[in-house]
Amino acid sequence: MTLLAPPTHQDNQAFLLRYDWTLDEIKELLEKPLMELLWQAQSVHRAANPGYKVQLASLLSVKTGGCTEDCAYCPQSIHNDSDINATAPLNVKPVLDRAKAAKDAGADRFCMGWAWREIKDGKAFDAMLQMVRGVRELGLEACVTAGMLTDQQALRLAEAGLTAYNHNLDTSPEKYDRIITTRTYKDRLETLQRVRAAGITLCCGGIIGMGESLVDRASLLRVLATMDPHPESVPINSLVAVEGTPLEDMNSIDPLEMVRMVATARILMPKSRVRLSAGREQLGREAQILCLQAGADSIFYGDTLLTTSNPIVEADRELLSQAGVQANWKLSENG
Ligand code: SAM
Ligand code: DTB
Ligand code: SF4
């Protein structure tokens, strides 16, 4: 009888932090045979982030609707015809109550969104700073997404203890003006620099499923992966096609395209948190598990994103258990 050799473990395989990725290299990764891509992504992930720990980020829309930007995907833009009506921002207390509930449900990070083109000084910004302080006092990471900001505002957010600022590039520089016309890619990059200069970590990613080409996806990833340092969090969203937006008729992506995007992001940015973001409801259990295996190590956790739905908490707990990954709710449950 022949004895089979024991399986070899790749956990200690090295990974490289590189900031000089070329478009061709990234295209090649996105187009690799799936099994090869998954193997490479998983090897990098196991070496860079051992233990399959998944960060749970809860999301709350503090200021919903009425935004003056014309982002073609967004139900909150005044230029679009969706059913979202503009509302006044939530007050500090109800936001902190929600943050506490998120913490109790096992979240690690609390993300707050404002449907603004830019932050303006005044009462609403002062309230944002109080919310950030309150979230940090609860022992959660705090993330804000609220559009453009000034150097001074970034510094005040840093002083309040903000962990991360989310500001997505959304798509490639080449496709950008077919998705948004009221601001430029350069505006976006300048805001990211201000956030970085203030010492706040960057949460920056994009959306697939808006009719972009493979080259557009590679080009978006190239902008992210040539930032030095890489953004600490990289949310990969797939379009939630909302009625009344110019992209309402877009077909859903093939779930394997999400798997490829996540795997490629993991290889390009080994230490960043790659967040499997909007569009998970359309993915199905197996595709989400493949994404976790390929290196997604964060999800939005909670029944709503900003204005659209997300898998319910119980379903995500089951998913994470079935996948055998570690997340805070499970760890705290086990003492
Ligand atoms: N107004 C701020 C801004 O644009 O940075 C913050 C809020 S904005 C809604 C945050 C991000 O959500 C967008 O940059 C986009 O990537 C994502 N997003 C918005 N609508 C989406 C949709 N329908 N499908 C997928 N992602 C979406
Ligand atoms: C991100 O990349 N995705 C989140 C968060 N950052 C702010 C937002 C997704 C929004 C999906 C559409 C909605 O719910 O309005
Ligand atoms: Fe406004 Fe942000 Fe929506 Fe664009 S994505 S319309 S900036 S809320």
Side-chain angles (χ1 to χ4, degrees):
M1 191 172 75
T2 321
L3 278 178
L4 294 174
T8 53
H9 290 284
Q10 301 285 321
D11 294 13
N12 295 322
Q13 193 169 311
F15 62 92
L16 268 183
L17 280 176
R18 277 180 54 192
Y19 307 95
D20 60 352
W21 293 97
T22 67
L23 194 65
D24 282 344
E25 284 177 306
I26 300 174
K27 260 168 45 194
E28 214 172 283
L29 285 170
L30 282 170
E31 287 181 305
K32 263 193 171 197
L34 187 60
M35 289 301 143
E36 297 301 315
L37 177 63
L38 286 175
W39 177 250
Q40 190 176 340
Q42 203 182 352
S43 305
V44 168
H45 188 44
R46 281 171 168 257
N49 314 292
Y52 287 97
K53 295 191 193 82
V54 174
Q55 176 200 55
L56 304 179
S58 285
L59 190 51
L60 176 67
S61 182
V62 177
K63 164 72 183 89
T64 306
C67 183
T68 55
E69 300 277 33
D70 68 354
C71 310
Y73 50 78
C74 186
Q76 304 199 65
S77 164
I78 54 169
H79 302 270
N80 299 342
D81 235 353
S82 64
D83 284 342
I84 304 293
N85 293 318
T87 54
L90 299 177
N91 293 323
V92 176
K93 167 93 170 66
V95 170
L96 294 182
D97 288 345
R98 293 285 293 268
K100 171 82 173 58
K103 185 186 160 79
D104 292 344
D108 305 276
R109 172 175 283 200
F110 193 67
C111 309
M112 296 167 280
W114 279 257
W116 287 343
R117 170 179 164 74
E118 72 230 311
I119 297 181
K120 296 202 171 83
D121 289 332
K123 270 196 197 146
F125 181 47
D126 295 340
M128 180 191 293
L129 296 170
Q130 275 180 267
M131 291 171 198
V132 170
R133 281 192 200 97
V135 169
R136 298 297 283 134
E137 277 163 19
L138 286 170
L140 288 168
E141 294 184 6
C143 180
V144 160
T145 183
M148 293 181 264
L149 43 57
T150 63
D151 291 328
Q152 197 54 36
Q153 289 162 344
L155 286 170
R156 289 183 70 194
L157 282 165
E159 234 171 57
L162 186 68
T163 314
Y165 196 80
N166 166 251
H167 203 65
N168 290 340
L169 290 170
D170 291 334
T171 190
S172 66
E174 296 75 23
K175 192 178 163 71
Y176 201 73
D177 63 5
R178 276 169 290 151
I179 300 293
I180 299 146
T181 68
T182 49
R183 60 166 190 257
T184 63
Y185 219 69
K186 188 163 162 274
D187 290 331
R188 244 18 212 180
L189 292 170
E190 284 173 4
T191 298
L192 290 166
Q193 266 166 13
R194 291 201 177 96
V195 171
R196 180 60 88 207
I200 300 167
T201 69
L202 287 192
C203 172
C204 183
I207 308 175
I208 62 169
M210 300 196 294
E212 71 285 344
S213 65
L214 181 111
V215 178
D216 285 316
R217 290 182 190 171
S219 176
L220 164 65
L221 286 171
R222 194 189 64 83
V223 178
L224 296 170
T226 54
M227 289 181 184
D228 182 3
H230 294 146
E232 285 77 3
S233 301
V234 180
I236 309 285
N237 297 276
S238 73
L239 177 73
V240 181
V242 182
E243 219 181 297
T245 64
L247 300 181
E248 65 181 356
D249 291 327
M250 277 287 158
N251 290 328
S252 320
I253 53 149
D254 176 339
L256 290 181
E257 294 182 56
M258 192 61 161
V259 176
R260 285 186 177 278
M261 196 69 185
V262 164
T264 305
R266 170 53 64 220
I267 295 165
L268 300 174
M269 295 169 278
K271 295 291 287 178
S272 302
R273 278 215 182 267
V274 176
R275 184 170 306 113
L276 186 53
S277 302
R280 277 199 299 121
E281 282 186 319
Q282 281 76 48
L283 277 189
R285 181 182 67 165
E286 289 77 8
Q288 292 187 70
I289 290 179
L290 277 180
C291 287
L292 295 170
Q293 190 176 26
D297 59 357
S298 176
I299 59 168
F300 283 122
Y301 179 64
D303 311 356
T304 45
L305 292 165
L306 292 173
T307 65
T308 64
S309 59
N310 195 45
I312 58 170
V313 161
E314 292 72 21
D316 276 345
R317 289 179 172 195
E318 197 177 333
L319 173 84
L320 298 170
S321 289
Q322 287 171 337
V325 298
Q326 296 178 51
N328 208 7
W329 73 271
K330 190 79 188 166
L331 295 178
S332 50
E333 210 175 53
N334 292 342

